[in-house]
Amino acid sequence: MPSVISLRCRECGREFEPLALHVCDFCFGPLEVAYNYDEIRSTISRASIEAGPRSMWRYRDLLPVGDAVPIDLGAGFTPLVKADRLGAHLGLKNLWVKNDTANPTGSFKDRVVSVALTKARELGYKVAACASTGNLANSVAAHAARAGMDSIVLIPSNLEAAKIMMTAVYGGTVVAVEGTYDDVNRLCAELTSEHPSWAFVNVNVRAYYAEGSKTLAFETAEQLGWQVPDHVVVPIASGSQLTKIKKGFEELAKVGLIEGSGQVRISGAQALGCSPVATAFAEGTEDIRPVKPDTIAKSLAIGNPADGYYALKVIRETGGGCAAVTDAEILDGIGLLARTEGIFAETAGGVTIASLCKLVENGAIHPDEKVVVMITGHGLKTVEALAGTVGPTVTIKPTLDAFDAALGSKLP
Ligand SMILES: *Cc1c(COP(=O)(O)O)cnc(C)c1O
Ligand SMILES: [Zn+2]
């Protein structure tokens, strides 16, 4: 693995061997993968990437794995859709939707899991484990099945039915925990020390896991013709994805794939019922106060976000904003995206669209900026949230008369 130098502490800068470590044993800061960009720059090119697979693995030179065969279900290289109808509705001239509902298990988590499990297998692990708000569970169970690894997945017991089923079907061990995600996560931290032979994708191999999110930035730039957008809007759960999107754009500049510095304004999106980062942003503080989540956006319901502090810093440093939206606004956001662009997103997507609306309204996003919104999960995963809000236009007897009586005057 020539291009990865080390794991580097984000706080004190100390370097560690690239093993299954996630915190600095000197200052307890989080570790992040460090690369040798000069070396990568000398081998990578737009042409070499464009000749690669039509998946996130076309960027493997910028991912923390060696020559290993990836554990790959085809994650990534999802459509970047020019969203003219949604843009017109919002008064935005240049709006794109990164449609990550198109991933193999229906969410962006396939990106991070494909990297985490590939690395875990390279490090000799045979068991994949995680704490999840739902989508990570789906993806870990699926990728473990593909690799012939065992999986142990812990989820809050109140998750949406589809997310539980979509995890269990792959045959791993699914543990429903009576508590919030933060309770589940605490239990997982304890299990990590009890079971050193398990690769916990969001604990002991988290540094590698997190790198997978950079591919959202890589693909966005490539799909815009090797240009960075002016502004991206990103949903926040732990905050990891948001920070890695920044890292991804900057790396493209460092290895010479784009002009300029890779500087993009990055805005965050949260549900009001779980908005510790948006609250700190609004209050102008660096302190993120943990909350007890209460929102239909369960995939984003992390009350004590591990990377919240760093996400907030990225938002402020890049000149972005951060919105928090109500459950009713989330449902409106899902409907608006579906009706204008034909994309059905889960509640996290509703959070992102509703936040986009707010950020445009309050002037954080300018009408002529090139804006990309990250739509990170598929709507079929959270149909419960829409119960009672959508259904048949009419229900009729199977006759022409009944059809005409119900709809005759309303048809196009
Ligand atoms: C996990 C998740 C996110 C955000 O994840 P971070 O923990 O902030 O990296 C966004 N959208 C969906 C649908 C998710 O499942
Ligand atoms: Zn440190």
Side-chain angles (χ1 to χ4, degrees):
M1 198 190 346
S3 63
V4 170
I5 313 174
S6 63
L7 293 175
R8 188 180 293 146
C9 175
R10 272 201 250 183
E11 290 303 322
C12 73
R14 266 184 181 68
E15 303 208 29
F16 299 83
E17 257 194 273
L19 301 173
L21 305 169
H22 68 295
V23 284
C24 172
D25 57 14
F26 183 77
C27 77
F28 301 107
L31 303 182
E32 182 169 44
V33 181
Y35 299 80
N36 182 341
Y37 293 116
D38 290 336
E39 196 172 299
I40 297 169
R41 179 191 263 268
S42 70
T43 57
I44 205 169
S45 68
R46 293 178 183 179
S48 71
I49 291 166
E50 287 162 4
R54 294 185 63 79
S55 77
M56 59 179 277
W57 289 99
R58 66 207 271 113
Y59 305 102
R60 69 175 298 153
D61 291 352
L62 288 161
L63 294 172
V65 298
D67 300 329
V69 176
I71 297 174
D72 184 18
L73 289 168
F77 218 60
T78 56
L80 182 72
V81 182
K82 184 88 196 301
D84 286 336
R85 279 172 39 80
L86 177 58
H89 182 88
L90 296 171
L92 295 175
K93 295 187 205 78
N94 296 295
L95 175 65
W96 284 265
V97 170
K98 183 64 171 157
N99 183 7
D100 248 21
T101 71
N103 276 309
T105 74
S107 88
F108 108 96
K109 290 295 196 304
D110 290 329
R111 299 174 181 275
V112 283
V113 169
S114 188
V115 174
L117 291 201
T118 300
K119 186 68 193 178
R121 187 163 69 176
E122 192 178 286
L123 291 169
Y125 288 98
K126 295 186 172 55
V127 181
C130 72
S132 173
T133 56
N135 287 321
L136 186 62
N138 297 167
S139 189
V140 166
H143 283 84
R146 168 108 180 124
M149 294 169 86
D150 286 321
S151 67
I152 299 165
V153 161
L154 289 91
I155 51 175
S157 58
N158 73 346
L159 279 193
E160 298 92 344
K163 285 186 182 160
I164 296 175
M165 213 175 288
M166 257 190 89
T167 307
V169 73
Y170 299 111
T173 302
V174 182
V175 183
V177 177
E178 292 166 355
T180 65
Y181 172 80
D182 299 282
D183 297 324
V184 177
N185 203 31
R186 213 174 313 112
L187 174 58
C188 273
E190 288 169 21
L191 285 169
T192 309
S193 37
E194 292 290 307
H195 297 278
S197 66
W198 298 356
F200 269 95
V201 303
N202 49 352
V203 188
N204 53 359
V205 293
R206 184 176 177 87
Y208 305 105
Y209 153 100
E211 292 291 293
S213 289
K214 295 186 309 189
T215 57
L216 275 166
F218 300 157
E219 291 173 17
T220 296
E222 181 181 350
Q223 289 167 322
L224 289 174
W226 296 107
Q227 296 207 324
V228 298
D230 299 313
H231 208 137
V232 297
V233 182
V234 184
I236 298 175
S238 73
S240 172
Q241 179 187 161
L242 187 144
T243 64
K244 294 297 171 169
I245 284 174
K246 177 179 188 325
K247 187 181 183 190
F249 285 122
E250 285 173 352
E251 284 186 345
L252 291 178
K254 282 186 188 152
V255 302
L257 290 169
I258 54 166
E259 314 284 326
S261 65
Q263 180 66 264
V264 182
R265 299 171 75 203
I266 301 182
S267 286
Q270 292 207 295
L272 191 60
C274 183
S275 53
V277 178
T279 302
F281 180 82
E283 291 176 354
T285 156
E286 287 184 7
D287 276 338
I288 300 203
R289 284 192 313 279
V291 300
K292 193 162 179 349
D294 179 15
T295 169
I296 57 171
K298 295 183 185 183
S299 57
L300 303 181
I302 299 185
N304 189 11
D307 290 290
Y309 168 82
Y310 297 102
L312 185 60
K313 219 167 131 185
V314 165
I315 292 168
R316 289 211 172 105
E317 279 172 10
T318 63
C322 196
V325 296
T326 65
D327 284 356
E329 290 168 329
I330 294 168
L331 294 178
D332 287 348
I334 292 173
L336 180 61
L337 180 64
R339 290 191 309 272
T340 54
E341 298 298 339
I343 295 171
F344 182 26
E346 69 144 272
T347 45
V351 169
T352 307
I353 296 298
S355 293
L356 171 70
C357 298
K358 277 218 166 133
L359 293 163
V360 171
E361 251 166 53
N362 70 20
I365 292 176
H366 309 306
D368 43 10
E369 278 185 311
K370 282 188 190 154
V371 182
V372 175
V373 290
M374 300 299 176
I375 298 301
T376 48
H378 200 288
L380 286 176
K381 287 169 171 259
T382 61
V383 287
E384 290 94 333
L386 294 174
T389 68
V390 282
T393 306
V394 292
T395 301
I396 59 167
K397 297 274 186 258
T399 68
L400 200 51
D401 281 349
F403 182 90
D404 285 341
L407 289 167
S409 60
K410 296 189 197 132
L411 292 176

